[in-house]
Amino acid sequence: MSSLLVSRFIILSSSRQSSTLYAILRCWRHSHTAAAPSYGEPLDSHRESVVPVFRHAPRYGDRIALRDRHGDYTYRGMFLSSRQLACEISSLLEGRRQERVAFLCPNDASYLITQWACWMSGQIAVPMCPSHPVPLMEHYVGNSEANLVVATQEYADQVSQIASRCGSKLLVLDDSLRMLAMKPEPRKLVQLDEDPTVHEVLEAGLEPEFYNDSGAMIVYTSGTTGSPK
């Protein structure tokens, strides 16, 4: 059944700079067939539970999920790599949830792996763009009060300085997680039966109720006429 993806933005005042606003993006799915509540009926009685996007991945298994300049990636591979990174994020944040995690990745599978990992571990993702100058990225990290900054190796030097100045933890990713998510080459397909994860039940994330009312992402404006908000 088809579904609508609805986005809700909540504008909040930053505790570090009261004049600065930021948006927490929350997404949830609504069925086309959901009827409007009748008079006097609670609105929440017709709201469906949030289903995080990564929970749809296991049903597609080894089908191609995306393609970047390096090659093809399967849904199963993306899920497993994201889950592994989610465990590392949870460990660095000592099991806390709803912490802000800023990340800087190139335009490849590592971006999506990191984003899914943030959500699997219950954090709020704060994406940054490689084309942005360092002062701007430092504003994102500082203003969002990110307790953890994740970056791939090519951005490690500049991001380490930002993390140090903002008092954030730093996690630098190598290529291993991205490569593990790639579609196996044909000559290696015969070895899949030897992989202990082939028949594993793919589960990750937190309890379903958590995602109904939790923050998912902080997206900043471009800051054309002032500091990004």
Side-chain angles (χ1 to χ4, degrees), residues 61-176:
D62 288 320
R63 296 182 184 179
I64 301 300
L66 63 86
R67 177 177 294 129
D68 65 15
R69 67 183 185 275
H70 304 290
D72 297 335
Y73 302 82
T74 65
Y75 286 94
R76 177 174 169 273
M78 295 292 295
F79 186 94
L80 291 173
S81 290
S82 298
R83 186 175 66 178
Q84 185 173 335
L85 180 55
C87 292
E88 181 69 17
I89 291 174
S90 293
S91 176
L92 288 171
L93 294 176
E94 300 176 344
R96 298 190 300 273
R97 303 176 180 181
Q98 290 293 273
E99 296 287 348
R100 287 71 184 271
V101 178
F103 66 94
L104 181 63
C105 298
N107 186 24
D108 61 22
S110 61
Y111 184 102
L112 187 58
I113 290 171
T114 305
Q115 188 177 71
W116 281 15
C118 289
W119 294 339
M120 285 181 177
S121 59
Q123 316 308 332
I124 298 175
V126 185
M128 299 188 293
C129 179
S131 63
H132 288 161
V134 171
L136 187 59
M137 290 191 284
E138 184 171 343
H139 173 77
Y140 293 159
V141 175
N143 183 261
S144 66
E145 299 180 336
N147 285 328
L148 176 64
V149 181
V150 180
T152 49
Q153 287 181 323
E154 59 262 54
Y155 306 122
D157 289 340
Q158 61 192 70
V159 170
S160 64
Q161 299 176 26
I162 295 173
S164 178
R165 289 193 289 266
C166 293
S168 306
K169 294 182 178 179
L170 174 64
L171 174 59
V172 178
L173 307 178
D174 57 25
D175 269 348
S176 60

Side-chain angles (χ1 to χ4, degrees), residues 4-13 22-30 44 47-53 97-100 115 119 122-127 209-220:
L4 291 176
L5 184 64
V6 184
S7 299
R8 178 175 62 183
F9 291 87
I10 297 180
I11 306 300
L12 301 173
S13 174
Y22 61 88
I24 294 183
L25 172 64
R26 293 179 175 176
C27 300
W28 68 99
R29 300 172 64 240
H30 287 269
D44 285 346
R47 189 181 72 172
E48 291 188 356
S49 296
V50 174
V51 180
V53 64
R97 303 176 180 181
Q98 290 293 273
E99 296 287 348
R100 287 71 184 271
Q115 188 177 71
W119 294 339
Q123 316 308 332
I124 298 175
V126 185
E209 296 78 12
F210 171 84
Y211 296 101
N212 288 340
D213 297 298
S214 298
M217 181 180 292
I218 296 178
V219 181
Y220 282 85

